[in-house]
Amino acid sequence: MTTKIRILPENLCNQIAAGEVVERPASVVKELIENSLDANATEIRIDVESGGRKLIRVTDDGDGMGKDDVFLCLERHATSKISMEADLFSLNTLGFRGEALPSIAAVSRLTVRSRTAATLEGWEVYVEGGTVCRAGAAGLPVGTSIEVRDLFFNTPARRKFLRKEETELGHIAELVTRLALAAPEVQFKLTHNQRPIIETPRHKRLEERIAALLGRPLLTQLAAVDSGGGEGGLELRGFVSRPELTRSSTGGIYTYINGRHIRDRVVLHAVLEGVRHLVPKGRYPAAILFMTIPPDQVDVNVHPTKHEVRFSRQAVVHDFIVTAIRDSLRAGVATETVSTRQSLPFSGEVAGSFERSAASGEQYPDEIREAVAGYAQREPVLEQRRIAFNATDTAASGYGSEASALPTPQLGLFAGLTIIGQFNNSYIVAEDREGLILIDQHAAHERIGFERLLKEFRSGEVARQALLFPQIIEFDFKEAAYVAERLSVLSRLGYMLEPFGGRSYALQAVPVLLKNRTDHLSLLRDLAAELAERGVSTRLEAACENLLVTMSCHAMVRANQALSRPEITALLRDLDQIDFNASCPHGRPVYVRLTTTEIARLFRRSA
Ligand code: ADP
Ligand code: MG
């Protein structure tokens, strides 16, 4: 009898493993840098071409490999990091599965070059699609260089999934950032098509590393987290943003366990729980948090990419994090305040690429920029464009959608209300013949802003106002990559940005509706983060409409603002222009109605 089951050939196994380990160029970068860190490197250089599609080369000055190891490292389940089961629970290396190199080699043209300090010459092996083609001795410095060319050349199906060059580079830069945050004492240099993207010297302190990678201004908005001696040897150190600084996604939260970057549901939940009462709904903090936990209490061998973990005492870990973050924000332990002046791109922290603007040098000292910002706030530079509403657009139909469970207001309903007053500086209280109406002024403003932006956007582009003095804005690497890719989209949304070298942009114009806001950077960050999340495949219009929601949220007055009668009247009039059949930006109701009957029922009267 013949058997149906067969043992798969080695190379096919590697290709299958590559499916898990090597999702995109950034995954290769991750595995190679982790290997360099495990080999005690103090200097790691990452050279990438065409978003990693053409070339990824990671070169380190670590321990290197001897002749036999250069071959062995390409074998499946070959590792120098563990040798028995118990080692799995006392790991102090990033790798241990012995899968990365053979997997990468199976789907690329890979060269390993390595030398240890024990020999005078090194070894070089060239592998194509998992098959060793050439090998030989070579004059090499101590350390290892692994070169990956033509990723997925033999797996066209996977190659199809690669995104645009900028997108892949964004992922790579994000990965280098993650790993570099956890190893401040190691020097990193990332280049793309020979252009420097990330360059950090060796740092002594985490703060310096955060400033170099995420921007110095961020530092001033962080509170130190420093909780040691938790139950069972738990520790949490790092930084979390003060409530003034929030982001529209969780992308600014970096969490590590025993030095390994992880994205864990429990940890993330705990971080958010720690800031819950301080950060508005739908907003997230930035955080860089390192947790120490005895290795026997955490299993990192849950997933091949090791992003997820399993805790033996999940609830204890969760509560420890929550308390540590709350304590830190309560104490408000200030980090050393660093002058934001140093963060201007002129400081030369990011080498090389200030092509256009380097010559103009330090043209806007802080004082002037501040004065200008104040001026701009009081005096609109251009006349605000009037927004005409088309009444036929908002023609009222009799009934609202199921979802809102509120009748669609008749045109003129809001303006026709009798204003009773304002409650809690947040709600407008009004009445009509049928009963009482409570309007959430913040939701109403947001809604009005959204409709205006949407109208402008649909009729071409959002009205812009030029800034008298452009504002220089510095993004982090990933954001910068997305911004670079979508300048024309941002311009249609009312934001005109010009490249200003490195990760910096000069903000030339802002949407008229947002001209009084001073925190354009935080809004642009949110937009970049959303572009990043949605990727490039989403339909542009749909994506932009989502961005408009974010913008309207920034544009509008917050709750807790006293409104004068004329302001209330104006708001009600604006509300009448809104098509309540369209979906509401955040899905929250703008107004709530209590009928006379309902009120009577509350008092147990029969009306
Ligand atoms: P793992 O990291 O899980 O052990 P890898 O496939 O990533 O598996 O690497 C296999 C082995 O190759 C490692 O255990 C290590 O001994 C060796 N190696 C890989 N990269 C380097 C490097 N940059 N420097 C020194 N040794 C390396
Ligand atoms: Mg490894």
Side-chain angles (χ1 to χ4, degrees):
M1 250 190 50
T2 56
T3 55
K4 282 192 282 185
I5 301 173
R6 59 188 151 258
I7 309 274
L8 295 177
E10 170 95 0
N11 210 24
L12 186 53
C13 292
N14 287 334
Q15 281 206 11
I16 291 169
E20 288 180 315
V21 182
V22 191
E23 190 195 335
R24 56 176 2 141
S27 351
V28 173
V29 174
K30 169 182 183 282
E31 295 297 336
L32 298 184
I33 295 180
E34 286 189 344
N35 280 345
S36 296
L37 290 170
D38 282 344
N40 305 306
T42 64
E43 214 182 300
I44 301 176
R45 195 188 152 107
I46 307 108
D47 297 300
V48 176
E49 278 173 29
S50 303
R53 188 188 283 256
K54 212 169 131 201
L55 168 75
I56 299 166
R57 183 174 49 228
V58 174
T59 309
D60 67 50
D61 64 346
D63 301 335
M65 288 178 271
K67 179 183 170 185
D68 295 339
D69 284 344
V70 168
F71 289 94
L72 268 175
C73 75
L74 297 163
E75 296 289 327
R76 199 161 154 71
H77 303 307
T79 178
S80 56
K81 298 170 194 176
I82 57 171
S83 56
M84 53 187 181
E85 191 195 336
D87 293 342
L88 272 178
F89 300 95
S90 59
L91 285 172
N92 50 21
T93 52
L94 296 167
F96 59 83
R97 300 172 62 108
E99 274 187 328
L101 289 183
S103 304
I104 298 167
V107 292
S108 68
R109 301 189 165 99
L110 181 140
T111 310
V112 186
R113 299 186 177 90
S114 196
R115 170 160 92 88
T116 66
T119 54
L120 287 175
E121 60 178 5
W123 275 81
E124 186 177 304
V125 179
Y126 174 73
V127 192
E128 203 168 289
T131 313
V132 176
C133 299
R134 281 195 299 277
L140 294 168
V142 173
T144 305
S145 172
I146 295 188
E147 192 175 289
V148 178
R149 285 188 184 272
D150 308 326
L151 186 63
F152 301 138
F153 80 96
N154 54 350
T155 49
R158 317 267 335 259
R159 201 175 165 80
K160 268 214 310 272
F161 281 101
L162 290 178
R163 301 285 191 86
K164 267 188 168 170
E165 188 169 310
E166 291 89 342
T167 311
E168 296 300 345
L169 175 63
H171 285 285
I172 291 171
E174 170 68 12
L175 238 137
V176 174
T177 302
R178 270 183 214 163
L179 289 163
L181 279 172
E185 70 292 348
V186 177
Q187 180 178 336
F188 284 84
K189 179 165 186 181
L190 167 67
T191 69
H192 184 242
N193 299 341
Q194 276 90 47
R195 201 165 58 89
I197 303 287
I198 295 184
E199 220 171 350
T200 62
R202 271 170 219 150
H203 287 121
K204 283 208 189 68
R205 290 156 24 122
L206 174 63
E207 287 93 315
E208 297 165 14
R209 186 49 60 100
I210 292 174
L213 289 171
L214 304 176
R216 204 165 281 275
L218 174 70
L219 257 197
T220 62
Q221 290 177 296
L222 296 179
V225 178
D226 190 0
S227 287
E231 196 190 324
L234 298 180
E235 280 179 23
L236 189 71
R237 296 186 203 289
F239 297 91
V240 61
S241 59
R242 282 181 226 287
E244 307 88 80
L245 177 95
T246 60
R247 300 268 167 91
S248 66
S249 77
T250 54
I253 303 177
Y254 295 87
T255 51
Y256 301 82
I257 289 183
N258 296 345
R260 182 192 305 282
H261 178 270
I262 51 121
R263 273 189 314 235
D264 182 76
R265 207 171 34 82
V266 175
V267 173
L268 183 63
H269 185 273
V271 173
L272 298 182
E273 182 66 21
V275 301
R276 187 157 59 99
H277 297 294
L278 300 168
V279 170
K281 229 181 156 164
R283 304 289 302 173
Y284 304 92
I288 302 101
L289 295 167
F290 296 90
M291 169 127 152
T292 313
I293 176 167
D296 61 346
Q297 291 180 32
V298 58
D299 185 358
V300 291
N301 192 22
V302 181
H303 190 269
T305 60
K306 312 183 200 85
H307 277 312
E308 289 160 41
V309 293
R310 210 178 285 132
F311 298 108
S312 60
R313 295 181 310 154
Q314 181 170 315
V316 175
V317 171
H318 180 272
D319 295 350
F320 177 74
I321 297 175
V322 175
T323 312
I325 288 181
R326 284 200 186 138
D327 287 352
S328 135
L329 289 173
R330 198 175 301 129
V333 195
T335 56
E336 155 204 16
T337 305
V338 197
S339 158
T340 50
R341 191 185 300 256
Q342 294 172 44
S343 74
L344 286 174
F346 320 115
S347 71
E349 244 179 21
V350 180
S353 46
F354 310 124
E355 304 94 317
R356 192 179 67 83
S357 323
S360 55
E362 204 153 344
Q363 51 181 331
Y364 311 121
D366 286 358
E367 298 75 11
I368 295 180
R369 283 197 297 140
E370 266 157 34
V372 170
Y375 168 78
Q377 226 172 328
R378 283 190 307 275
E379 296 287 332
V381 181
L382 298 176
E383 191 51 42
Q384 178 170 348
R385 204 177 90 187
R386 278 262 3 114
I387 300 126
F389 287 101
N390 183 352
T392 55
D393 255 26
T394 56
S397 64
Y399 300 94
S401 66
E402 289 273 302
S404 74
L406 282 169
T408 302
Q410 297 298 316
L411 209 58
L413 174 124
F414 289 102
L417 295 174
T418 310
I419 301 165
I420 299 175
Q422 198 189 11
F423 168 67
N424 212 10
N425 282 346
S426 306
Y427 303 95
I428 294 161
V429 186
E431 65 176 318
D432 65 5
R433 256 184 301 154
E434 280 150 53
L436 195 66
I437 292 188
L438 292 172
I439 298 163
D440 180 334
Q441 69 191 46
H442 176 53
H445 270 131
E446 221 169 87
R447 192 59 215 272
I448 292 163
F450 174 70
E451 295 274 332
R452 285 192 187 161
L453 286 167
L454 191 62
K455 241 187 195 136
E456 293 184 355
F457 180 76
R458 285 188 177 155
S459 67
E461 57 183 28
V462 172
R464 285 196 296 253
Q465 177 170 298
L467 293 179
L468 205 49
F469 292 89
Q471 205 179 323
I472 307 303
I473 285 184
E474 192 185 359
F475 293 99
D476 73 26
F477 301 100
K478 192 172 180 190
E479 290 159 354
Y482 286 105
V483 167
E485 203 179 324
R486 287 299 178 89
L487 285 177
S488 61
V489 177
L490 289 170
S491 152
R492 254 193 90 190
L493 292 169
Y495 275 105
M496 245 178 72
L497 287 162
E498 266 184 32
F500 201 69
R503 298 174 275 150
S504 297
Y505 284 82
L507 180 58
Q508 308 279 8
V510 301
V512 169
L513 209 62
L514 280 87
K515 67 179 191 304
N516 290 337
R517 309 283 311 177
T518 45
D519 57 346
H520 294 293
L521 175 57
S522 99
L523 170 55
L524 284 164
R525 278 229 157 93
D526 287 357
L527 296 183
E530 273 169 50
L531 285 173
E533 248 158 56
R534 280 166 220 288
V536 283
S537 61
T538 335
R539 247 188 57 235
L540 188 63
E541 296 296 292
C544 283
E545 288 180 13
N546 274 305
L547 299 180
L548 294 173
V549 173
T550 305
M551 287 169 63
S552 58
C553 174
H554 275 261
M556 299 308 139
V557 274
R558 303 274 141 201
N560 299 316
Q561 198 179 73
L563 295 179
S564 65
R565 281 287 161 136
E567 281 171 325
I568 295 180
T569 313
L571 179 66
L572 295 182
R573 214 176 300 121
D574 286 346
L575 272 180
D576 279 328
Q577 307 295 329
I578 286 177
D579 177 6
F580 275 84
N581 283 322
S583 73
C584 185
H586 288 299
R588 279 186 282 116
V590 169
Y591 73 103
V592 166
R593 177 190 276 281
L594 276 174
T595 62
T596 317
T597 324
E598 283 167 326
I599 294 174
R601 209 177 296 134
L602 287 174
F603 291 100
R604 307 216 174 117
R605 285 166 171 248
S606 48

